[in-house]
Amino acid sequence: MSQLLSFEALVVLDAIDRRGSFAAAAEELNRAPSSLSYQVQKLEQDLDLMIFDRSGHRASFTKAGQLLLDRGRMLIHAAEEIVADANVLAHGWELDLTIAFDGLICASELFPMVELLGKKSKTRVKLQEEILAGCWEALTQDRADILIAPMPMVVPSEVKIEAIGKIDSIWVAAPEHPIHSEPEPLLPETRAKYRGIAAADTARQAPPLSHNLLDEQPRLTVSCMSAKKDAIVAGLGIGTLPTKMIKPLIESGALKVIHGAEESGIELVIAWRRNRMGKAKSWCVNYLKKHGV
């Protein structure tokens, strides 16, 4: 049985689930979709079980397939930890380092740190945008080594946190949006009339969160903060965006602050697990403590 279920097959199942389709998983793995489909079908034949239910519009995991996925992810994470630990033990500098950041922060704010780290180490850095509960889930489930995000209500155990400043956000809409004609645009009953634009929570297992949306309000949910900004600029709805991110758009007239809106400050922290403190992780933590984002 161990010869029939390869580690590569587990990686394929994980990618299909995370990306939502065979085509998207194939793109991530730099494979042809037909190659992935064949590998999964071959795996089903070898194991004599159905991994995917193909009766609906989109293939979904069967109960047996979900078990393979869940247990397989445990093996993938274990293998990643083995490689990371061995590399740190041998060289001090990690082979890979994933830095997750809340969508409120522009990835470009981290580019100077990446450039300086590159002059010291060959560590491969991944910058990973997360939203709301997905931020802390990424850290606690070891999908990220370092996290930059708003201060949580409850700090997870075994996580170290340092405050690094705050980020301001404000209510905005496109200049021609009808909310600007309202006498009191930010009253809940007024906001409820207009579509709210939200970035989807990236949590995979934790209950998804939402901010500044009313239950009765129409909404458009997009995949990232950049798409949220674009949707608001296009006049599709209203929402809050980081002041620093949208300052050029306000100055150019592409966005307009909603009357009566005031900046709300959100405290930012860096967080990391106390285990496996390699040189790259330690260097980035110290850099962020000193320079922030």
Side-chain angles (χ1 to χ4, degrees), residues 13 30 67 107 120 149 163 187 237 245 269:
L13 296 181
N30 197 27
L67 177 65
K120 298 177 176 293
L187 289 177
M245 178 188 295
V269 300

Side-chain angles (χ1 to χ4, degrees), residues 93-120:
W93 293 96
E94 299 91 327
L95 184 63
D96 295 280
L97 187 74
T98 299
I99 302 172
F101 59 95
D102 190 280
L104 294 169
I105 301 159
C106 293
S108 59
E109 300 290 333
L110 301 173
F111 291 171
M113 179 185 70
V114 173
E115 179 66 18
L116 286 175
L117 178 61
K119 295 177 180 179
K120 298 177 176 293

Side-chain angles (χ1 to χ4, degrees), residues 181-202:
S181 300
E182 297 281 357
E184 296 185 85
L186 294 180
L187 289 177
E189 54 267 33
T190 304
R191 284 167 41 207
K193 297 191 298 183
Y194 300 105
R195 181 189 293 115
I197 311 297
D201 195 320
T202 54

